[in-house]
Amino acid sequence: MRLVSWNVAGLRSCLKKGFADFFSRINADVVCIEEAKLTEEELEYRPEGYEIYLNPAEKKGYSGTLIYTRIKPLKIYYGMGIEEHDQEGRMITLEFNNFFLIAIYVPNSKRGLLRLDYRMKWEDDFYNFLHKLERQKPVIFCGDLNVCHQEIDIANPESNKRSPGFTIEERNKFSRILNSGYIDTYRYQNPHKRIYTWWSYIGNARERNIGWRLDYFVISQKLLPYLKESYIYNGIYGSDHCPIGLDMEMN
């Protein structure tokens, strides 16, 4: 089973930069999209053989998540069921026979950490949501988590201690999830590899590989026996993020 996640920074824009070609070549069973930035009426890319689930933000042209899946889910959940969070379209959860899959776009704390307090509330509510699902069956969650967990995950750790995405508060929230029974699949398989999934458009950052690893596939420890390979497709362009992938030995 192959899963892919990509923050496309606007699907309509990414479609002009090779998204459909990548989608066809990668031949994934499930593709999760963050920052789709469109409504149902604006969603034109509808590949044959895939069910499509979209959770748009109330604010037009902002945020939004989208899932293409060949495997029909048992149930679909949009958001966390908390109005404060759900108006931004940041989560879709699919229930399959053996696990839940969450596509997620975690809120950015914003320049000056103006939204850090909200981010902390969001993290606590997501943690509770995650463990509520876990009591039923194992979970895979993926997407732009807007956090570099360790210094190896960011090109310039010393100068970014209070930058959104690398504050100790955000990193500790992610540590709490991992310590409660979850695995960062890429770091598990590549403990010493320095690789990134996001680069600023400023200063030729991508060409210089001055980046951040913000995108993850995280799995319940119960699913570890089924883990085959976790990927970062850092040679794929079309967004300021690159796609990531996960192969699992399961249906």
PDB file of all heavy atoms in Angstrom, residues 137-148:
ATOM      1  N   LYS A 137      -8.638   1.732  16.839  1.00  0.00           N
ATOM      2  CA  LYS A 137      -7.710   1.012  15.959  1.00  0.00           C
ATOM      3  C   LYS A 137      -6.496   1.896  15.706  1.00  0.00           C
ATOM      4  O   LYS A 137      -6.530   3.099  15.989  1.00  0.00           O
ATOM      5  CB  LYS A 137      -8.388   0.601  14.646  1.00  0.00           C
ATOM      6  CG  LYS A 137      -8.927   1.745  13.805  1.00  0.00           C
ATOM      7  CD  LYS A 137      -9.626   1.237  12.546  1.00  0.00           C
ATOM      8  CE  LYS A 137     -10.963   0.564  12.826  1.00  0.00           C
ATOM      9  NZ  LYS A 137     -11.713   0.244  11.578  1.00  0.00           N
ATOM     10  N   PRO A 138      -5.400   1.350  15.178  1.00  0.00           N
ATOM     11  CA  PRO A 138      -4.186   2.149  14.972  1.00  0.00           C
ATOM     12  C   PRO A 138      -4.405   3.298  13.987  1.00  0.00           C
ATOM     13  O   PRO A 138      -5.357   3.297  13.197  1.00  0.00           O
ATOM     14  CB  PRO A 138      -3.178   1.139  14.424  1.00  0.00           C
ATOM     15  CG  PRO A 138      -3.698  -0.191  14.820  1.00  0.00           C
ATOM     16  CD  PRO A 138      -5.193  -0.065  14.842  1.00  0.00           C
ATOM     17  N   VAL A 139      -3.475   4.262  14.026  1.00  0.00           N
ATOM     18  CA  VAL A 139      -3.603   5.496  13.257  1.00  0.00           C
ATOM     19  C   VAL A 139      -2.337   5.762  12.452  1.00  0.00           C
ATOM     20  O   VAL A 139      -1.214   5.533  12.925  1.00  0.00           O
ATOM     21  CB  VAL A 139      -3.863   6.696  14.191  1.00  0.00           C
ATOM     22  CG1 VAL A 139      -3.988   7.994  13.387  1.00  0.00           C
ATOM     23  CG2 VAL A 139      -5.121   6.473  15.031  1.00  0.00           C
ATOM     24  N   ILE A 140      -2.525   6.236  11.237  1.00  0.00           N
ATOM     25  CA  ILE A 140      -1.469   6.870  10.443  1.00  0.00           C
ATOM     26  C   ILE A 140      -1.883   8.314  10.244  1.00  0.00           C
ATOM     27  O   ILE A 140      -3.024   8.570   9.837  1.00  0.00           O
ATOM     28  CB  ILE A 140      -1.304   6.199   9.066  1.00  0.00           C
ATOM     29  CG1 ILE A 140      -0.918   4.729   9.219  1.00  0.00           C
ATOM     30  CG2 ILE A 140      -0.287   6.939   8.214  1.00  0.00           C
ATOM     31  CD1 ILE A 140      -0.920   3.951   7.903  1.00  0.00           C
ATOM     32  N   PHE A 141      -1.011   9.262  10.546  1.00  0.00           N
ATOM     33  CA  PHE A 141      -1.328  10.643  10.182  1.00  0.00           C
ATOM     34  C   PHE A 141      -0.175  11.247   9.414  1.00  0.00           C
ATOM     35  O   PHE A 141       0.994  10.892   9.619  1.00  0.00           O
ATOM     36  CB  PHE A 141      -1.763  11.494  11.377  1.00  0.00           C
ATOM     37  CG  PHE A 141      -0.721  11.827  12.407  1.00  0.00           C
ATOM     38  CD1 PHE A 141       0.017  13.002  12.319  1.00  0.00           C
ATOM     39  CD2 PHE A 141      -0.533  11.006  13.508  1.00  0.00           C
ATOM     40  CE1 PHE A 141       0.947  13.329  13.287  1.00  0.00           C
ATOM     41  CE2 PHE A 141       0.393  11.326  14.490  1.00  0.00           C
ATOM     42  CZ  PHE A 141       1.137  12.501  14.379  1.00  0.00           C
ATOM     43  N   CYS A 142      -0.519  12.138   8.495  1.00  0.00           N
ATOM     44  CA  CYS A 142       0.494  12.668   7.585  1.00  0.00           C
ATOM     45  C   CYS A 142       0.141  14.088   7.192  1.00  0.00           C
ATOM     46  O   CYS A 142      -1.003  14.530   7.301  1.00  0.00           O
ATOM     47  CB  CYS A 142       0.600  11.798   6.333  1.00  0.00           C
ATOM     48  SG  CYS A 142      -0.897  11.793   5.302  1.00  0.00           S
ATOM     49  N   GLY A 143       1.159  14.789   6.721  1.00  0.00           N
ATOM     50  CA  GLY A 143       0.927  16.116   6.201  1.00  0.00           C
ATOM     51  C   GLY A 143       1.985  17.105   6.632  1.00  0.00           C
ATOM     52  O   GLY A 143       3.066  16.743   7.123  1.00  0.00           O
ATOM     53  N   ASP A 144       1.640  18.364   6.439  1.00  0.00           N
ATOM     54  CA  ASP A 144       2.496  19.475   6.845  1.00  0.00           C
ATOM     55  C   ASP A 144       2.210  19.749   8.318  1.00  0.00           C
ATOM     56  O   ASP A 144       1.207  20.365   8.655  1.00  0.00           O
ATOM     57  CB  ASP A 144       2.184  20.698   5.981  1.00  0.00           C
ATOM     58  CG  ASP A 144       2.972  21.928   6.377  1.00  0.00           C
ATOM     59  OD1 ASP A 144       3.777  21.849   7.328  1.00  0.00           O
ATOM     60  OD2 ASP A 144       2.779  22.981   5.749  1.00  0.00           O
ATOM     61  N   LEU A 145       3.104  19.285   9.185  1.00  0.00           N
ATOM     62  CA  LEU A 145       2.901  19.427  10.626  1.00  0.00           C
ATOM     63  C   LEU A 145       3.469  20.738  11.151  1.00  0.00           C
ATOM     64  O   LEU A 145       3.348  21.035  12.341  1.00  0.00           O
ATOM     65  CB  LEU A 145       3.516  18.247  11.379  1.00  0.00           C
ATOM     66  CG  LEU A 145       3.043  16.853  10.960  1.00  0.00           C
ATOM     67  CD1 LEU A 145       3.571  15.809  11.944  1.00  0.00           C
ATOM     68  CD2 LEU A 145       1.522  16.775  10.849  1.00  0.00           C
ATOM     69  N   ASN A 146       4.101  21.520  10.284  1.00  0.00           N
ATOM     70  CA  ASN A 146       4.627  22.837  10.649  1.00  0.00           C
ATOM     71  C   ASN A 146       5.508  22.786  11.894  1.00  0.00           C
ATOM     72  O   ASN A 146       5.428  23.650  12.765  1.00  0.00           O
ATOM     73  CB  ASN A 146       3.481  23.839  10.825  1.00  0.00           C
ATOM     74  CG  ASN A 146       3.324  24.726   9.599  1.00  0.00           C
ATOM     75  OD1 ASN A 146       4.300  25.220   9.049  1.00  0.00           O
ATOM     76  ND2 ASN A 146       2.076  24.907   9.160  1.00  0.00           N
ATOM     77  N   VAL A 147       6.367  21.754  11.951  1.00  0.00           N
ATOM     78  CA  VAL A 147       7.336  21.671  13.044  1.00  0.00           C
ATOM     79  C   VAL A 147       8.575  20.930  12.549  1.00  0.00           C
ATOM     80  O   VAL A 147       8.478  19.943  11.830  1.00  0.00           O
ATOM     81  CB  VAL A 147       6.745  20.965  14.290  1.00  0.00           C
ATOM     82  CG1 VAL A 147       6.390  19.508  14.006  1.00  0.00           C
ATOM     83  CG2 VAL A 147       7.692  21.057  15.480  1.00  0.00           C
ATOM     84  N   CYS A 148       9.741  21.447  12.890  1.00  0.00           N
ATOM     85  CA  CYS A 148      10.993  20.710  12.756  1.00  0.00           C
ATOM     86  C   CYS A 148      11.278  20.109  14.123  1.00  0.00           C
ATOM     87  O   CYS A 148      11.535  20.844  15.079  1.00  0.00           O
ATOM     88  CB  CYS A 148      12.133  21.642  12.346  1.00  0.00           C
ATOM     89  SG  CYS A 148      11.997  22.266  10.665  1.00  0.00           S
TER      90      CYS A 148
END
